[in-house]
Amino acid sequence: MKTRDKILLTSLDLFNERGERNTTTNHIAAHLGISPGNLYYHFRNKSDIIYEIFQEYEKLVDYYLEIPDDRPLGLDDMMFYLESVFDGLWSYRFLHRDLEFLLDNDARLREDYRLFTGRCLAAIKQIFSGLTDGGLFEAQADELKDAMSLNVWLVITNWMAFLKTAHAGDSTDSITREQLKQGIFQVLTLEMPYLRDAYREDVMAIRERYRPELIGAGEEKGVLCGFSRMK
């Protein structure tokens, strides 16, 4: 593997485990066993490393959200999209754990993320249309599809921040992949009112697999991660 690629992979691991703010270029170089000068030969600073990692994340999500043009979408497709997007979010979790700070500190990243958000919202709306054509959802006006797409995007991109605050007393790496993917429960909950009756029971059974865990033993029974149980 080329040194440049090793720097990116090692940086991603350290950012995810320790947090971006707790990881310096010296930490990255030491972890790789190279000199800081060797690292700076490939990247001018940490911001350049973060920006290139984001570009890889961007490509991954764009790939996950590709929509077939030769058939309508079904329940398996819907779950593939959700699983894939949350898997990608886990692999690059440091980005959404401290997104506002990262965007404030890099104008390139801020502009690219704005365009990325627009593409994702358009793709989510297309997915809703494909699932409607496939019989999963009742037909909805474009305005409602736009609102639903935004709500789904907000849950996906803010779920990590919610977990971070819900587990505020724990270490940076205390959040698990399973807890992150419990955000799928919230997305499916948003979609429940628009499901056709034929799919409601199946989706409710799938949704139950992602039900968020209780936060703390002292929580009131039936209240999960700040949200009331929904039947």
Side-chain angles (χ1 to χ4, degrees):
M1 187 182 294
K2 294 179 180 178
T3 300
R4 181 183 183 85
D5 295 329
K6 289 180 180 178
I7 292 170
L8 290 172
L9 286 174
T10 298
S11 299
L12 177 58
D13 287 342
L14 293 176
F15 292 159
N16 281 338
E17 291 172 9
R18 303 179 183 179
E20 175 272 333
R21 295 198 219 187
N22 298 323
T23 304
T24 66
T25 50
N26 284 341
H27 290 141
I28 297 166
H31 200 81
L32 279 167
I34 63 175
S35 68
N38 194 350
L39 185 147
Y40 290 128
Y41 174 79
H42 296 280
F43 297 96
R44 294 176 303 170
N45 49 45
K46 190 168 70 169
S47 292
D48 283 353
I49 296 174
I50 294 168
Y51 181 66
E52 194 152 327
I53 288 174
F54 170 73
Q55 289 181 313
E56 293 302 314
Y57 172 64
E58 194 176 19
K59 290 175 189 174
L60 182 68
V61 175
D62 286 343
Y63 170 75
Y64 282 153
L65 294 181
E66 284 182 358
I67 300 162
D69 56 9
D70 58 345
R71 61 176 178 82
L73 300 178
L75 180 56
D76 287 344
D77 293 301
M78 182 175 76
M79 294 312 303
F80 169 79
Y81 288 126
L82 288 174
E83 287 275 357
S84 297
V85 168
F86 274 91
D87 279 338
L89 185 59
W90 172 256
S91 297
Y92 294 82
R93 55 194 177 278
F94 85 93
L95 287 168
H96 288 282
R97 196 162 52 204
D98 212 1
L99 182 61
E100 186 176 353
F101 174 81
L102 295 174
L103 298 185
D104 282 346
N105 283 276
D106 192 329
R108 300 168 304 170
L109 186 60
R110 186 163 59 248
E111 176 61 15
D112 276 19
Y113 192 82
R114 183 183 66 81
L115 297 173
F116 171 65
T117 296
R119 290 198 310 277
C120 289
L121 289 173
I124 293 169
K125 183 177 179 180
Q126 280 187 280
I127 289 169
F128 277 131
S129 295
L131 292 169
T132 300
D133 293 342
L136 250 73
F137 294 121
E138 300 285 352
Q140 304 294 333
D142 271 358
E143 183 179 0
L144 183 56
K145 286 181 186 176
D146 288 337
M148 280 298 299
S149 299
L150 178 57
N151 288 342
V152 167
W153 181 246
L154 288 173
V155 169
I156 291 171
T157 56
N158 287 282
W159 187 247
M160 174 60 77
F162 169 76
L163 290 175
K164 180 182 174 183
T165 55
H167 296 265
D170 298 332
S171 61
T172 300
D173 62 350
S174 63
I175 295 168
T176 66
R177 187 190 197 105
E178 289 70 30
Q179 287 171 324
L180 183 66
K181 292 181 79 169
Q182 287 163 4
I184 293 174
F185 177 93
Q186 307 302 329
V187 175
L188 294 178
T189 299
L190 284 173
E191 296 173 349
M192 291 296 293
Y194 311 102
L195 281 171
R196 290 185 179 273
D197 289 341
Y199 290 93
R200 187 171 299 275
E201 187 174 337
D202 287 341
V203 172
M204 287 186 73
I206 293 171
R207 173 176 165 269
E208 193 62 27
R209 299 204 300 262
Y210 301 95
R211 182 178 288 279
E213 300 167 353
L214 285 165
I215 295 178
E219 293 285 341
E220 180 183 352
K221 187 177 180 181
V223 178
L224 302 170
C225 286
F227 297 94
S228 297
R229 282 185 179 269
M230 298 183 65
K231 299 296 185 181

